[in-house]
Amino acid sequence: MTVSLPQTVLAELDATVARRGFASRSQAVAELLHRGLVDDRSEFGDEVMCGALTLFYGQPSAGVEQRLGDLQRANIDEVIASFHVHLNENRTLEVVLLQGPARKLQAIADEMITVRGVISGRLQVVAAIMPQIHPFIR
């Protein structure tokens, strides 16, 4: 396969190869292309994927933890686990592990990210599914 790139894009690619320590341009292109394809599948597909939703929020007195917990329980089929760390008296970092159809995961992420008190959030998905956790489910 041959790919032609504008000189500016090639320079950016070379800088990425050097900065991230890829063994070659081909390795960098393969990784970047894979990431783009996963993003496309997660945005437009119903393929079952797993992902991590990272949330940063503050003001625990505003009920943000309760609301996020309620949303996790409401989506119990897709929420595998969650972990949160209190960074200080009014800032928390939470990671929610999800698995399910890509569109559903994005909808859950959107709902949690828009909870009042959430400062920022990001869903990162991978084109893989986790082994079944409990043998008696489904």
Side-chain angles (χ1 to χ4, degrees):
M1 180 176 120
T2 303
V3 177
S4 297
L5 299 172
Q7 190 60 37
T8 56
V9 174
L10 184 59
E12 245 184 278
L13 177 62
D14 287 340
T16 299
V17 168
R19 183 178 57 251
R20 295 196 43 207
F22 287 109
S24 65
R25 287 176 177 164
S26 292
Q27 184 185 26
V29 168
E31 194 275 332
L32 295 168
L33 182 59
H34 173 74
R35 188 181 306 174
L37 293 171
V38 168
D39 288 348
D40 186 65
R41 276 189 282 188
S42 68
E43 186 174 345
F44 298 107
D46 288 320
E47 181 177 342
V48 173
M49 303 176 89
C50 66
L53 172 60
T54 305
L55 301 165
F56 177 61
Y57 55 89
Q59 304 301 328
S61 62
V64 64
E65 287 181 5
Q66 179 66 44
R67 181 71 183 126
L68 292 172
D70 291 346
L71 288 170
Q72 290 176 32
R73 284 184 289 282
N75 294 285
I76 197 72
D77 289 341
E78 291 78 24
V79 175
I80 305 301
S82 69
F83 174 77
H84 69 264
V85 177
H86 298 286
L87 303 173
N88 60 29
E89 64 278 352
N90 62 355
R91 295 287 189 254
T92 303
L93 180 68
E94 183 160 356
V95 177
V96 182
L97 182 60
L98 302 163
Q99 180 170 277
R103 290 179 196 200
K104 177 71 172 173
L105 300 187
Q106 188 61 59
I108 293 167
D110 290 344
E111 197 169 10
M112 289 187 181
I113 290 168
T114 59
V115 166
R116 184 182 179 105
V118 172
I119 297 165
S120 68
R122 180 168 187 202
L123 175 64
Q124 179 69 43
V125 295
V126 293
I129 58 172
M130 297 171 42
Q132 185 171 333
I133 292 177
H134 195 285
F136 302 112
I137 299 176
R138 295 183 199 160

